[in-house]
Amino acid sequence: PADALALLKTFEGELSVYPVEERIKYYKIQSELNVEHSQFQQGIASASKGLELARQLASPSILMADLSYSSGFSYENLGDFETAVQEYLNGLEVAESLGDQKSVAEGLANLGAIYYITERFERSLIMLNDALSIANSLDDEELKGFINSELGILYSYIGQDDKSLEFYQRSYEHYKKAGLTLYALNSLMNIGTNHSANERYVEAIAAYKEVVANSQNMSNYQI
């Protein structure tokens, strides 16, 4: 992310020559890279610049939802959960108005995650189940991997480890089908942690060994 941000910065002085929508895309990428680099204040600043430009468009763009989600995730990581919820709701409203079902599912999943963090478990379950229903209808493997992972975390929060393991396993399989090795290994780590917490040490060791073996075979590009 640091190298990508540095490369992106080389274009900053030329932004004024590009159409508004291209400049919005620039700030979307910049915000997401800042988030990847755990620079959350900068992520918010970049998203705000993009949203300010987006208001100049003649009609709403799905980029507005992307920027709101990035901003919301930054606020979430800074511990400002209520502002994060509002940002996620703003993005979800745009996605729904444009009928972009994938973005709607992402917004619902973002809300589901922040609701379990803040112990609003029933609301979290509703949001995540709605998101999963959309992901299944779209047959989007990456999206299904993401939402199943979030459901696994939710059930871990409420102490239903069997259900949690079931969703982690599904997440792992979906990410593998999508070719997203790093995300698949993250789900596999969660599987190992679940086994370990429930004293299934042989299964935990097997999961962790698989993570190590696959991590060693990954390229920088995949990471």
Side-chain angles (χ1 to χ4, degrees):
D3 290 343
L5 278 168
L7 179 60
L8 197 66
K9 193 169 179 62
T10 64
F11 295 95
E12 196 166 28
E14 306 171 14
L15 279 181
S16 60
V17 304
Y18 292 101
V20 172
E21 189 148 354
E22 295 302 314
R23 282 181 273 162
I24 297 169
K25 288 178 184 177
Y26 175 91
Y27 287 117
K28 169 187 175 291
I29 295 168
Q30 187 181 61
S31 179
E32 291 171 349
L33 285 171
N34 277 315
V35 168
E36 288 290 325
H37 202 49
S38 299
Q39 297 176 342
F40 300 117
Q41 293 286 5
Q42 294 94 321
I44 292 167
S46 297
S48 296
K49 289 177 183 177
L51 286 166
E52 186 176 346
L53 283 171
R55 295 185 187 101
Q56 299 177 22
L57 297 174
S59 56
S61 165
I62 199 60
L63 291 170
M64 297 175 72
D66 295 334
L67 287 160
S68 293
Y69 294 157
S70 182
S71 178
F73 190 71
S74 292
Y75 278 113
E76 180 181 330
N77 278 275
L78 291 170
D80 187 348
F81 298 127
E82 292 311 311
T83 303
V85 167
Q86 189 55 57
E87 288 292 291
Y88 289 149
L89 287 170
N90 291 343
L92 181 59
E93 183 179 3
V94 173
E96 288 177 334
S97 72
L98 295 173
D100 190 314
Q101 289 299 99
K102 182 174 181 178
S103 186
V104 168
E106 290 170 349
L108 291 170
N110 288 334
L111 286 167
I114 204 164
Y115 285 148
Y116 68 61
I117 289 170
T118 53
E119 299 185 354
R120 290 174 273 190
F121 299 122
E122 288 187 12
R123 296 181 73 180
S124 176
L125 186 59
I126 290 168
M127 294 293 175
L128 291 174
N129 278 331
D130 286 349
L132 185 60
S133 177
I134 294 172
N136 287 336
S137 70
L138 296 174
D139 199 23
D140 185 311
E141 295 296 338
E142 179 179 359
L143 192 59
K144 287 190 284 187
F146 168 49
I147 297 166
N148 275 282
S149 178
E150 294 298 333
L151 279 161
I153 298 170
L154 166 62
Y155 279 106
S156 178
Y157 263 79
I158 60 180
Q160 294 189 29
D161 287 347
D162 288 346
K163 291 279 286 185
S164 178
L165 181 61
E166 179 183 334
F167 283 108
Y168 286 148
Q169 187 66 46
R170 290 180 188 173
S171 174
Y172 174 62
E173 296 298 334
H174 289 307
Y175 277 138
K176 277 180 62 178
K177 286 182 182 177
L180 295 168
T181 305
L182 181 61
Y183 294 113
L185 293 183
N186 185 62
S187 292
L188 192 56
M189 279 290 294
N190 288 334
I191 290 169
T193 301
N194 183 290
H195 284 312
S196 181
N198 288 280
E199 300 182 1
R200 295 186 295 265
Y201 299 120
V202 172
E203 292 89 341
I205 290 169
Y208 291 143
K209 282 185 174 179
E210 188 175 345
V211 170
V212 172
N214 282 280
S215 297
Q216 291 172 341
N217 295 327
M218 289 177 68
S219 66
N220 287 336
Y221 176 78
Q222 287 172 305
I223 292 170

